[in-house]
Amino acid sequence: MKASVAGERESMSERESQRVRAVERALDILLLFSHEQPELSISDIARHMELPKSTVHRLLTALQHKGFIQQNPENQKYALGMVLMHLGHLVAEQLDIRRLARPLMRQLERETGETVNLNVARDGYRVCIEKVESHHDVRHFVEIGKRLPIYCGASGKVLMAYMEPDEVEEIMRRTGLSPYASRTITDPETLRQELAAIRRRGYATSTSERVEGASSVSAPVRDSTGRVVASLTISGPSFRFTPEKVLDVVDKVVQAAAELSRILGYRADEGSGGDKPGAR
């Protein structure tokens, strides 16, 4: 029995090693392409990697299925796929906006004493890509990179407010607007009205929508085309967000988001703007 179990474990370990090796080889294939060699044949790749053509073909088939590789029907050679262009654009966009946003975010934290975070919409969720934490012992914790519901909390509602209507409806259908805290908006029509109000006033607020006892204020960040690409948010425990402080925070976060939008190339007199979902 012990020998059988040991053999099974060894077999599982070997299969895992094979999967890792296959992933590494697939990545190595992607790294073969360059400006000098934008297209490669199976023979080219097999020669560079010292692998059998059959192995290379299997790896290329998997990469092509996921959109990482595309084949030129005229010469049967392979080139990098459009998925990589999309991913590269996302990385460049996020890295650039993070770098540009940091000074403004640090200034906001100094002025308000609260946590400041930068969020983007990804696949129907909102994701924090940068943050400057409050120095208070009691503060709102935001985890970078974690997918969070986009329909509850000021950060997500700002992003959702400028999505196309059909995308908003799909999010509501998929999530069912499940409650996360006592004041999560769970009625579709109420959420539609809230998103329209956010577009009219240019910012969102929330209290106990995603995290009980947490409040936040968020404003949209636009790129040079006028498209909303991020939300800039100030958040903290609700007991510190008095009506007077909320007014001050709203003013500061709206100004900072407008400044970041200006840095990204947005000009209010030229961009889409306004109370239109299409101003994205």
Side-chain angles (χ1 to χ4, degrees):
M1 179 64 75
K2 289 183 179 179
S4 176
V5 171
E8 185 176 340
R9 288 177 178 171
E10 184 176 344
S11 177
M12 291 175 61
S13 177
E14 177 59 27
R15 287 197 298 272
E16 183 65 25
S17 296
Q18 290 175 354
R19 283 193 289 267
V20 171
R21 196 153 53 242
V23 171
E24 290 177 342
R25 285 173 171 173
L27 294 174
D28 286 339
I29 287 177
L30 296 177
L31 293 173
L32 287 177
F33 294 91
S34 65
H35 287 293
E36 293 74 27
Q37 291 184 306
E39 290 189 332
L40 295 168
S41 67
I42 289 181
S43 297
D44 294 331
I45 297 170
R47 184 176 64 256
H48 279 292
M49 298 186 63
E50 298 181 350
L51 290 173
K53 291 182 181 179
S54 58
T55 301
V56 171
H57 183 264
R58 285 196 299 271
L59 293 169
L60 287 171
T61 299
L63 289 168
Q64 188 174 9
H65 177 68
K66 294 295 184 179
F68 289 94
I69 289 289
Q70 56 189 0
Q71 189 175 29
N72 185 335
E74 294 183 358
N75 58 18
Q76 302 305 307
K77 290 187 175 183
Y78 293 86
L80 296 177
M82 297 302 293
V83 166
L84 290 171
M85 179 182 292
H86 172 66
L87 293 176
H89 174 73
L90 293 182
V91 171
E93 179 183 82
Q94 289 185 12
L95 289 177
D96 190 47
I97 196 172
R98 286 173 60 194
R99 177 179 60 81
L100 296 172
R102 282 189 197 109
L104 292 168
M105 294 173 70
R106 294 191 189 102
Q107 182 64 26
L108 280 176
E109 189 280 325
R110 286 193 295 268
E111 292 178 351
T112 66
E114 304 296 347
T115 296
V116 183
N117 53 82
L118 187 68
N119 305 269
V120 295
R122 290 290 177 263
D123 301 322
Y125 294 86
R126 68 107 168 166
V127 178
C128 174
I129 59 171
E130 187 60 281
K131 67 175 178 178
V132 177
E133 286 197 354
S134 166
H135 288 86
H136 287 293
D137 290 336
V138 179
R139 59 184 182 269
H140 185 210
F141 176 77
V142 180
E143 185 176 348
I144 290 180
K146 183 177 181 180
R147 295 199 314 177
L148 295 170
I150 199 168
Y151 61 88
C152 51
S155 300
K157 289 190 300 183
V158 160
L159 296 169
M160 198 174 180
Y162 296 93
M163 290 179 173
E164 296 298 333
D166 57 348
E167 189 174 1
V168 171
E169 296 300 318
E170 171 58 23
I171 290 171
M172 292 194 294
R173 184 201 63 77
R174 174 177 55 80
T175 63
L177 300 184
S178 300
Y180 280 78
S182 61
R183 299 183 64 180
T184 304
I185 298 176
T186 57
D187 175 65
E189 184 54 35
T190 301
L191 181 58
R192 293 186 192 101
Q193 293 175 8
E194 170 73 356
L195 299 180
I198 290 168
R199 291 192 294 272
R200 285 195 298 273
R201 63 178 178 253
Y203 66 88
T205 63
S206 66
T207 297
S208 295
E209 288 190 14
R210 188 181 69 83
V211 177
E212 199 67 37
S215 293
S216 58
V217 177
S218 185
V221 176
R222 298 176 183 271
D223 65 10
S224 60
T225 69
R227 184 173 63 98
V228 172
V229 294
S231 61
L232 186 62
T233 306
I234 298 175
S235 59
S238 297
F239 68 81
R240 284 205 299 267
F241 274 59
T242 62
E244 295 77 17
K245 180 166 184 172
V246 169
L247 288 175
D248 181 58
V249 167
V250 165
D251 185 57
K252 285 180 167 57
V253 77
V254 167
Q255 287 188 33
E259 175 61 14
L260 181 54
S261 299
R262 187 194 66 77
I263 293 171
L264 292 174
Y266 175 66
R267 297 294 180 266
D269 55 344
E270 300 172 4
S272 301
D275 181 23
K276 297 185 294 182
R280 305 193 185 349

